[in-house]
Structures are given as C-alpha cells and as structure tokens.
Amino acid sequence: GQNIDQPTEMTATEGAIVQINCTYQTSGFNGLFWYQQHAGEAPTFLSYNVLDGLEEKGRFSSFLSRSKGYSYLLLKELQMKDSASYLCAVREGQGANNLFFGTGTRLTVIP
Amino acid sequence: EAQVTQNPRYLITVTGKKLTVTCSQNMNHEYMSWYRQDPGLGLRQIYYSMNVEVTDKGDVPEGYKVSRKEKRNFPLILESPSPNQTSLYFCASSPTGFNEKLFFGSGTQLSVL
C-alpha cells in the first residue's frame, strides 16, 4: 500500500517563497506528480519527478528524494492566484492505474 | 481543443432517483477514470477503464456503475443515490493509464437530499 502525507494548510505572503512537503511510503515507487487545484475546479498538472533531484519550471520547482520518500513543491514570487490546493500523487509499481493521491495542501496567499 | 467534458456541473437530486453523470474526452485516450473528492479525504477512485468494454473497480465502487461502450465516453451511473454520495466528482483520462499525467474534467458537484 501507500501512505502519503502533506500538511493540510499553509499561509504565505505575496511575493514570498513557499515550500510544500510531501512524504510517502510505498512499495515499488515509480514517480511522483504535483497537481494544482483551485477551489471547486479540476486538478491541473504541475510537475512530475521520477529521478532524484530538482525539476524547475518557471516559478514552480519540484524536488524528489527517493531514498527518503520525500518530495517538495517550491513556489517562488508568490501571487494571489497561487492560492489553491496542491495535491501530491504517487505512482506505485509498473502496472497501470496505480496512482494514489494525498489529501492536498491548501495554500492561502495573503497580501 | 483537447479536453475532458463532464456534465452536469451541478446536480441536486433526491434519494433513490437514478442519475447519470456523463464524461467525454476528445484525445483518443484509452484510459479513463472516475474520482470523488471529499473534504479531508482527497481524491478517491471509484472505477476505471483501460479501454472499450474494459472496466474495473477502484477504491470506493459501492453504489456506482460505469460503462465504456465507446472510447470517448465513460458515464458514471448512480442507480439509487444516497446522501453519502454527496460529493464532488471528477472524470479523468490519460493516453494509456501508465506513467502519464491525468487530464481532468471540470467536475460535477452532486448533492443527494
């Protein structure tokens, strides 16, 4: 099985940097996704990590350490529109349909 | 435009009245899936389909049915809805169901009274 942990809520200031952590326990780790979800809307894909290290994409970066079962999403130069939930999802094993979601971190950006 | 289309966006119904939530994708994806999302519980998979006429249960299938008669459509059927099925529902698709990102529909907020 899998056990995915994220903080429930975070608050950060506009223009600042925030790091959202995700820890997981799974057998046969095969990749980690981050999705952004605005309230009442569909999740949208942000990033994917399968190897250790940092993946940078504009203001957003995602880091993975497979040995520690740990990932983080880094958001720089925060904007008000970044207020959303951020979902960590872990793929387990080589088969299909093996994606498991954490409960999400609700980020509030304040002026 | 490549998209997953879900309807309706909002639905209020009463206990026991059968309903169908439609889902259609125009990306020729083989894999489609239904999730429900509840506060504090995250996204939980209801059913999924690897291809036409191939469906299987997810983590919370009780009270739901699905069908996959055509590649593009994957309707979710509640034969006899109950209040504990009040939730936000998402349909999602991906090319094969293996290591790819999911494309989500815009969601259906269902309230069962």
Side-chain angles (χ1 to χ4, degrees):
Chain A
Q2 68 299 128
N3 187 8
I4 302 170
D5 269 316
Q6 308 178 233
T8 304
E9 292 190 11
M10 298 182 71
T11 302
T13 306
E14 192 177 12
I17 299 173
V18 71
Q19 177 175 312
I20 302 174
N21 296 326
C22 172
T23 59
Y24 62 88
Q25 293 174 312
T26 183
S27 53
F29 173 83
N30 192 24
L32 187 145
F33 293 82
W34 284 96
Y35 286 84
Q36 181 190 57
Q37 184 181 24
H38 286 98
E41 296 183 11
T44 55
F45 170 76
L46 283 179
S47 69
Y48 172 64
N49 296 69
V50 66
L51 299 176
D52 291 350
L54 189 68
E55 294 279 342
E56 296 186 76
K57 196 184 288 187
R59 294 190 298 115
F60 292 7
S61 304
S62 57
F63 171 83
L64 176 68
S65 168
R66 289 172 296 171
S67 62
K68 293 181 178 163
Y70 168 68
S71 173
Y72 66 72
L73 181 68
L74 193 71
L75 290 72
K76 302 176 188 172
E77 300 167 20
L78 279 172
Q79 302 176 10
M80 299 300 288
K81 67 178 182 180
D82 297 330
S83 291
S85 287
Y86 292 86
L87 313 181
C88 172
V90 174
R91 216 168 258 292
E92 181 178 272
Q94 299 293 326
N97 191 67
N98 56 354
L99 186 66
F100 301 95
F101 284 86
T103 54
T105 299
R106 186 164 64 193
L107 173 68
T108 302
V109 180
I110 57 176
Chain B
E1 180 190 353
Q3 59 186 358
V4 179
T5 304
Q6 255 181 266
N7 281 297
R9 182 72 178 89
Y10 300 95
L11 182 57
I12 301 174
T13 190
V14 295
T15 299
K17 186 176 181 182
K18 180 179 178 180
L19 67 92
T20 300
V21 184
T22 64
C23 175
S24 180
Q25 50 91 8
N26 62 1
M27 296 170 279
N28 202 37
H29 286 172
E30 292 183 352
Y31 175 85
M32 298 184 75
S33 179
W34 276 103
Y35 292 89
R36 61 178 288 174
Q37 188 175 38
D38 303 288
L41 295 178
L43 283 164
R44 294 182 293 166
Q45 190 181 52
I46 303 170
Y47 268 94
Y48 68 98
S49 170
M50 296 300 297
N51 213 325
V52 175
E53 302 291 3
V54 180
T55 63
D56 211 342
K57 296 177 181 178
D59 297 318
V60 288
E62 295 77 20
Y64 304 94
K65 282 175 55 177
V66 293
S67 68
R68 188 91 182 273
K69 294 186 172 61
E70 307 160 289
K71 199 171 192 178
R72 62 184 293 126
N73 295 324
F74 190 45
L76 179 70
I77 303 152
L78 284 72
E79 294 269 2
S80 183
S82 62
N84 65 10
Q85 293 178 299
T86 292
S87 187
L88 179 58
Y89 291 86
F90 289 102
C91 179
S93 73
S94 72
T96 66
F98 288 82
N99 231 2
E100 314 130 337
K101 66 181 180 184
L102 290 173
F103 294 80
F104 284 87
S106 52
T108 297
Q109 179 64 60
L110 172 65
S111 295
V112 183
L113 306 177

